[in-house]
């Protein structure tokens, strides 16, 4: 069995893969990592662990300690020049986040063609994946909830209240919710417009469903796209060995 872990700024997502399919998946806040010792102690035998961590060195140490206590040695994913059919187009390839790299690989495995790869979490990223597997750059902006919290934190009269989307907002809370959703959708649509006709948008992340409802482009919502990429990375050596060529 293979355990893959996507450790984001807010939440940790994990999946257990065996015999060609997902066996179990789970998620929890990064602040509650100690719960993993109980949950993962039941997962044995796990032969490989792959981790994409963007939550910083402190979280990496805590997660590494938990895995070590379970006699598991993780592979900490880093972006490469080429991997699993994806070519890294950053001037400094190592600057690309491991989660974005894994998401690109996941999208490549699922779609196989040109697409816009969107991760809608604490931050929103929109990355261009060309038909030949080339990553042609992307953008990063504050995620939906981060946008809303920044208004509450940096203005005197705009409290962080729960609002609803409305074509004609009739309250401040609704105006903030609507504005932030349309800002997210607008950026994604502008990025998608730079792709060739026929390209799809692949979106994942905690805010994906809320954003998808307001997109006017071909879009596929995928649960745990980073995990899909991580398992492709984990399986790549095995697939090469199995290939008679």
């Amino acid at each position: 069995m293979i355990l893959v872990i996507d450790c984001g700024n807010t939440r940790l997502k994990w999946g257990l893969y065996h015999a060609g399919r997902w066996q179990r998946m789970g998620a929890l806040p990064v602040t509650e990592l100690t719960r993993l010792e109980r949950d993962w102690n039941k997962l044995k035998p796990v032969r490989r662990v792959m981790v994409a961590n963007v939550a910083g060195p402190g979280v990496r140490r805590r997660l590494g300690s938990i895995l070590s206590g379970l006699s598991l040695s993780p592979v900490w994913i880093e972006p490469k020049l080429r991997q699993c059919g994806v070519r890294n187009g950053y001037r400094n390839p190592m600057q690309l986040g491991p989660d974005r790299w894994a998401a690109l690989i996941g999208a490549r495995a699922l779609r196989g063609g040109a697409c816009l790869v969107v991760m809608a979490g604490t931050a929103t990223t929109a990355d261009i994946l060309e038909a030949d597997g080339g990553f042609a750059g992307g953008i990063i902006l504050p995620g939906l909830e981060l946008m809303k919290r920044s208004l509450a934190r940096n203005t005197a009269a705009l409290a962080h209240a729960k609002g609803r989307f409305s074509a004609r907002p009739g309250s401040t809370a609704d105006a903030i919710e609507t504005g932030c959703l349309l800002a997210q959708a607008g950026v994604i649509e502008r990025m998608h417009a730079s792709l060739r006709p026929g390209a799809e948008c692949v979106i994942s992340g905690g805010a994906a469903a809320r954003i998808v409802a307001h997109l006017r482009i071909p879009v596929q919502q995928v649960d745990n796209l980073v995990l899909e990429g991580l398992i492709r990375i984990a399986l790549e050596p095995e697939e090469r060995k199995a290939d008679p060529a």
Side-chain angles (χ1 to χ4, degrees):
M1 289 191 288
I2 303 172
L3 174 64
V4 291
I5 304 166
D6 170 21
C7 192
N9 290 291
T10 306
R11 292 181 65 77
L12 179 147
K13 287 78 66 180
W14 61 271
L16 189 67
Y17 191 91
H18 180 65
R21 64 187 182 90
W22 295 106
Q23 304 292 324
R24 287 184 59 189
M25 285 187 169
L28 78 169
V30 171
T31 54
E32 300 178 15
L33 289 184
T34 53
R35 287 168 43 191
L36 295 173
E37 294 183 73
R38 178 193 63 214
D39 294 342
W40 287 350
N41 194 46
K42 306 170 185 177
L43 298 183
K44 297 177 181 179
V46 172
R47 59 185 179 86
R48 298 191 72 189
V49 183
M50 316 291 286
V51 187
N53 173 53
V54 297
V59 171
R60 174 169 171 157
R61 286 192 296 270
R62 288 163 56 201
L63 183 57
S65 177
I66 291 169
L67 292 168
S68 177
L70 297 171
S71 300
L72 298 174
S73 299
V75 175
W76 301 94
I77 296 301
E78 294 181 345
K80 299 181 180 298
L81 284 172
R82 296 174 181 267
Q83 193 171 34
C84 299
V86 177
R87 186 177 67 258
N88 194 333
Y90 255 21
R91 288 190 297 272
N92 180 354
M94 292 300 294
Q95 282 189 345
L96 184 64
D99 56 339
R100 291 171 68 194
W101 182 241
L104 286 162
I105 289 172
R108 180 70 175 170
L110 294 172
R111 299 299 307 161
C115 59
L116 184 68
V117 183
V118 176
M119 296 298 300
T122 304
T124 296
T125 60
D127 293 324
I128 297 172
L129 185 61
E130 296 179 327
D132 64 357
F135 162 53
I139 57 96
I140 305 173
L141 68 153
L144 181 59
E145 289 302 315
L146 191 56
M147 274 188 173
K148 293 167 64 176
R149 287 198 300 272
S150 70
L151 282 173
R153 184 171 59 249
N154 296 299
T155 59
L158 299 179
H160 188 211
K162 186 174 179 61
R164 297 182 301 173
F165 180 88
S166 172
R168 299 289 186 270
S171 71
T172 298
D174 290 354
I176 292 172
E177 178 74 13
T178 302
C180 291
L181 273 169
L182 291 181
Q184 299 280 320
V187 167
I188 292 168
E189 289 176 354
R190 286 289 294 270
M191 289 293 293
H192 183 266
S194 69
L195 277 67
R196 293 183 178 181
E200 190 174 42
C201 173
V202 179
I203 186 170
S204 188
R210 294 163 68 189
I211 296 171
V212 163
H214 305 287
L215 291 175
R216 299 176 181 176
I217 56 175
V219 60
Q220 177 187 7
Q221 185 178 340
V222 177
D223 292 335
N224 298 313
L225 185 59
V226 173
L227 298 187
E228 294 288 349
L230 289 174
I231 198 61
R232 300 314 304 176
I233 294 170
L235 293 173
E236 185 185 32
E238 299 177 1
E239 291 175 349
R240 285 179 176 173
K241 290 176 184 178
D243 188 348

